[in-house]
């Protein structure tokens, strides 16, 4: 069984990226355990908070989920042509203390996916994640990225309803899970 963690980078209830994450979970193939996570409850990074009381419980919980996964998919919105602050903030907490970076990110397969109401399907956000993931030592899967432009008509009440998109997403999840399983066998 290959364990994949999907993290939505949006806090909004009606988020396309959370809906895409949920669709990916439902489309995971046999042999893949697909867990989901959100960023709710993770405070803004503050070195004083870290020094006084350590990494907050919500960030520690997410860190444990990442470390338990064979691979992680970041379902990233795109805000102002880049990474959403709330998502980058969570990754910053996961990199604390610095001694944990290797345990959390080092060589762990990560993939990028995103949905957007605009024409470019989060390509700029996904591109902005590349140096962050490289800096942390993650194994950023170069097999493919999943970008879903003009997402609004493809969802109804938070559910992906477009069959062609569902098949693309199913293939993406399977290919990444296969990659993560192979990476774990090395």
């Amino acid at each position: 069984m290959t364990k994949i963690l999907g993290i939505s980078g949006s806090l909004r209830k009606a988020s396309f990226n959370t809906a895409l994450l949920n669709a990916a979970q439902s489309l995971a193939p046999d042999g893949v355990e697909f867990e989901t996570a959100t960023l709710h409850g993770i405070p803004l990074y503050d070195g004083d908070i870290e020094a006084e009381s350590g990494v907050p419980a919500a960030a520690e919980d997410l860190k444990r989920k990442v470390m338990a996964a064979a691979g992680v998919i970041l379902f990233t919105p795109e805000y102002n042509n880049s990474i959403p602050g709330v998502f980058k903030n969570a990754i910053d907490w996961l990199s604390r203390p610095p001694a944990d970076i290797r345990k959390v990110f080092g060589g762990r397969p990560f993939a990028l996916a995103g949905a957007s109401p605009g024409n470019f399907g989060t390509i700029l956000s996904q591109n902005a994640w590349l140096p962050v993931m490289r800096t942390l030592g993650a194994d950023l899967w170069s097999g493919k990225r999943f970008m879903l432009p003009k997402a609004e008509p493809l969802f109804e009440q938070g559910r992906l309803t477009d069959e062609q998109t569902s098949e693309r997403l199913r293939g993406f999840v399977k290919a990444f899970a296969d990659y993560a399983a192979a990476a774990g066998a090395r």
Side-chain angles (χ1 to χ4, degrees):
M1 183 69 72
T2 302
K3 187 170 187 173
I4 299 298
L5 175 67
I7 306 170
S8 174
S10 177
L11 298 175
R12 191 170 63 92
K13 287 179 186 174
S15 162
F16 292 126
N17 285 282
T18 300
L20 188 64
L21 165 66
N22 292 333
Q25 181 184 40
S26 72
L27 295 168
D30 290 340
V32 174
E33 179 186 343
F34 196 112
E35 184 178 5
T36 65
T38 71
L39 308 176
H40 289 91
I42 298 176
L44 291 174
Y45 176 76
D46 182 334
D48 292 336
I49 291 173
E50 181 185 10
E52 292 169 13
S53 52
V55 176
E60 279 294 347
D61 182 53
L62 184 58
K63 187 187 292 190
R64 278 190 296 278
K65 289 177 180 181
V66 168
M67 290 189 301
V72 179
I73 304 174
L74 303 180
F75 288 82
T76 184
E78 182 172 297
Y79 297 166
N80 299 315
N81 293 337
S82 194
I83 300 169
V86 68
F87 210 173
K88 176 65 167 61
N89 176 70
I91 297 300
D92 291 344
W93 270 117
L94 296 184
S95 71
R96 305 303 302 165
D100 281 0
I101 292 173
R102 186 167 169 81
K103 291 188 295 190
V104 177
F105 298 98
R108 187 174 318 282
F110 275 76
L112 298 167
S116 169
N119 293 327
F120 302 107
T122 72
I123 191 170
L124 296 175
S125 177
Q126 291 190 32
N127 287 343
W129 277 112
L130 301 177
V132 174
M133 293 290 105
R134 268 190 236 110
T135 297
L136 295 171
D139 176 7
L140 194 56
W141 181 51
S142 61
K144 42 179 140 172
R145 294 188 272 172
F146 190 93
M147 291 172 258
L148 186 60
K150 301 178 182 177
E152 192 164 359
L154 306 177
F155 293 89
E156 288 179 20
Q157 297 177 342
R159 292 188 56 242
L160 180 61
T161 56
D162 183 71
E163 190 55 41
Q164 184 178 15
T165 302
S166 293
E167 286 308 309
R168 277 185 48 225
L169 185 57
R170 182 187 325 274
F172 174 81
V173 171
K174 181 182 181 339
F176 179 65
D178 290 347
Y179 178 81
R186 287 185 230 142

